[in-house]
Amino acid sequence: AKSGPSAVTNTMGAYACQRKTPLEHHNAVLTDALLLLAENADFCTNEGRSVAFKRAASVLKALPGPVRRMEELQGLPCLGEHCQRVIKEILEHGASSEVEMTRHSEHYQAMKALTGIFGVGVKTAEQWHRAGIRHPADLVSSEHKLNRAQRAGVEYYEHLRVPVTKAEADRIGEIVKRAVDAVLLGAEITLTGGFRRGKQTGHDVDFLITHPDEGREEGLLPKVVSWLEARDLLLYQKTNKNSYLEAKEWPARPPSNMDRFERCFSIFKLQRPWAALEEPPQSGERGAAETPGWKAVRVDLVVTPVSQFAFALLGWTGSQLFERDLRRWAGQKGMSLSSHALYDCEQKRYLRATSEEEIFAHLGLEYIPPGERNA
Ligand code: DCP
Ligand code: MG
């Protein structure tokens, strides 16, 4: 019973946090198709359907080789009838009519462009779409009111749609490190998000900041922001205070996906000379977004007390589906996991941890390293 595809399929867990999901996998044609349908379901505010497509794609990402026949899917979790229909059509005809129709639909394209604006979610995009807005450019001349984030989002739209490279993320890491060192001796910064999972590009750069002496990190961000602003390194920033109080969390408040750390959503102004040295521009073929000597880059800075650091690191490394399934797994085990803490609902106590490994152990899960959390 140990040979053949069923040996693999039978052992695959239904939760993304039970599986190893590498960055590079063997089924991109299928997962791209399913993820487009997931994205479209999000644009139609159908979260349940979106998650179902994302789960199916995630299962295919974890397979050891390319799927060639439907029989190979036998026994795999999370592959509903709809997903199987899409996969079957792609295996037989090379493409799915539903996916291609969606990809070319006016609603999908407009929603993709509008939700691609920093500060714009599906609800706002849908309202604008109903009012005839199809593209960020339509907003410039319209009477629609934009908040400060959205104005920055429209202004830097062409910059922000260009993926951030790992080299750019590392350069921004150096700048953030300098800012943090200047305002608080001994503070530490960690690159998280997709780059920690080994991605070579991302839509933003995510950092965690902490200090080995609990409490010293309080109020750090406004000082970091002032340091950056004084050097003309920020195009936009919004800083929120820490609103997490452990004593008030349970049972008064249900665990939330949104964490409440001191946090700064920002847009950095990254000067180009360093990049130009590494990659000389190709003669005159650079896009309009790349003509200035700088590039706008989305950066998230999150400050965590050191006692919560392992939870913040686990919660901010992603992927989003991996995080979702970690929380669902915890719930099913009678625990509640957030980016701040792990709470045992039966024993009515917090389970402490100083490393990600300890949190996986508390949850009764095999440790999955960041590079294999690309669910
Ligand atoms: N995260 C989360 N819930 C949120 C915000 C973030 O679980 N509301 C976690 C999961 C993400 C990670 O934080 O993987 C970082 O968020 P990003 O949106 O930046 O996602 P990635 O870094 O994974 O993707 P990208 O490479 O596109 O930036
Ligand atoms: Mg990110």
Side-chain angles (χ1 to χ4, degrees):
K2 276 206 166 168
S3 63
S6 64
V8 174
T9 57
N10 287 339
T11 59
M12 187 179 296
Y15 292 77
C17 52
Q18 294 176 289
R19 312 188 285 259
K20 292 188 171 165
T21 314
L23 191 57
E24 302 295 336
H25 62 89
H26 311 277
N27 289 288
V29 173
L30 298 175
T31 58
D32 286 353
L34 293 169
L35 290 174
L36 186 138
L37 295 180
E39 191 181 26
N40 188 58
D42 278 327
F43 294 162
C44 301
T45 55
N46 193 336
E47 199 196 353
R49 199 170 156 112
S50 169
V51 173
F53 283 128
K54 285 177 191 164
R55 281 196 205 297
S58 172
V59 163
L60 301 183
K61 289 181 191 174
L63 291 175
V67 175
R68 299 190 206 280
R69 293 171 307 121
M70 289 306 284
E71 298 82 83
E72 295 167 30
L73 302 178
Q74 284 241 333
L76 285 178
C78 311
L79 293 175
E81 195 196 323
H82 192 158
C83 292
Q84 294 201 32
R85 201 162 67 228
V86 172
I87 295 168
K88 184 160 185 280
E89 203 184 334
I90 296 173
L91 292 181
E92 289 173 1
H93 305 288
S96 144
S97 48
E98 183 185 358
V99 171
E100 294 318 308
M101 217 161 70
T102 306
R103 193 198 306 280
H104 294 103
S105 79
E106 190 265 359
H107 182 258
Y108 171 81
Q109 290 186 359
M111 290 296 284
K112 180 140 182 111
L114 296 176
T115 58
I117 305 170
F118 170 63
V120 179
V122 167
K123 267 193 184 161
T124 304
E126 183 57 40
Q127 278 171 16
W128 288 343
H129 181 262
R130 269 189 259 117
I133 304 281
R134 296 291 177 269
H135 191 272
D138 299 340
L139 288 162
V140 178
S141 53
S142 82
E143 78 285 12
H144 292 276
K145 278 203 213 89
L146 304 183
N147 63 31
R148 200 168 66 85
Q150 294 164 346
R151 282 200 303 274
V154 171
E155 183 168 358
Y156 303 115
Y157 182 75
E158 291 300 333
H159 282 247
L160 298 181
R161 37 184 262 146
V162 180
V164 186
T165 65
K166 178 65 165 55
E168 288 166 342
D170 288 338
R171 174 66 187 140
I172 289 169
E174 289 168 17
I175 296 169
V176 173
K177 176 85 179 92
R178 245 203 272 168
V180 166
D181 281 348
V183 302
L184 178 64
L185 204 67
E188 290 158 11
I189 76 162
T190 308
L191 180 63
T192 64
F195 289 113
R196 183 163 181 255
R197 301 196 308 276
K199 284 180 67 179
Q200 288 305 304
T201 61
H203 95 284
D204 68 358
V205 194
D206 308 289
F207 292 102
L208 281 181
I209 307 174
T210 192
H211 191 284
D213 301 332
E214 184 102 355
R216 292 285 301 280
E217 79 291 342
E218 271 174 43
L220 176 71
L221 268 191
K223 292 180 201 157
V224 169
V225 166
S226 299
W227 191 96
L228 294 167
E229 280 183 330
R231 284 155 188 80
D232 198 23
L233 294 168
L234 292 185
L235 296 165
Y236 168 90
Q237 65 85 17
K238 183 176 190 310
T239 304
N240 296 328
K241 287 190 190 146
N242 184 350
S243 60
Y244 179 82
L245 263 175
E246 192 170 275
K248 288 197 180 162
E249 295 304 307
W250 197 271
R253 237 176 169 143
S256 149
N257 292 357
M258 240 0 233
D259 54 59
R260 275 163 283 122
F261 290 112
E262 183 176 326
R263 174 173 177 172
C264 176
F265 300 91
S266 73
I267 301 177
F268 266 55
K269 182 175 180 179
L270 183 61
Q271 294 297 337
R272 281 194 178 280
W274 68 278
L277 288 178
E278 286 165 16
E279 284 174 51
Q282 313 283 304
S283 51
E285 65 172 24
R286 295 229 152 175
E290 298 194 74
T291 32
W294 53 272
K295 179 184 179 185
V297 178
R298 277 273 299 113
V299 178
D300 277 354
L301 303 176
V302 176
V303 175
T304 166
V306 70
S307 63
Q308 297 169 24
F309 180 78
F311 297 96
L313 185 61
L314 180 59
W316 273 86
T317 297
S319 70
Q320 268 172 40
L321 187 67
F322 193 89
E323 301 295 336
R324 176 186 271 269
D325 276 10
L326 268 178
R327 292 189 292 260
R328 202 164 57 100
W329 172 272
Q332 163 265 141
K333 289 253 172 190
M335 296 182 244
S336 169
L337 176 69
S338 74
S339 294
H340 297 277
L342 178 62
Y343 187 81
D344 187 317
C345 308
E346 271 136 44
Q347 300 182 50
K348 298 208 190 318
R349 67 180 186 101
Y350 284 94
L351 303 173
R352 306 293 169 188
T354 55
S355 68
E356 289 181 319
E357 283 86 344
E358 282 176 73
I359 305 173
F360 279 87
H362 281 316
L363 291 167
L365 285 169
E366 183 197 336
Y367 177 68
I368 312 275
E372 297 188 294
R373 296 181 204 160
N374 289 291

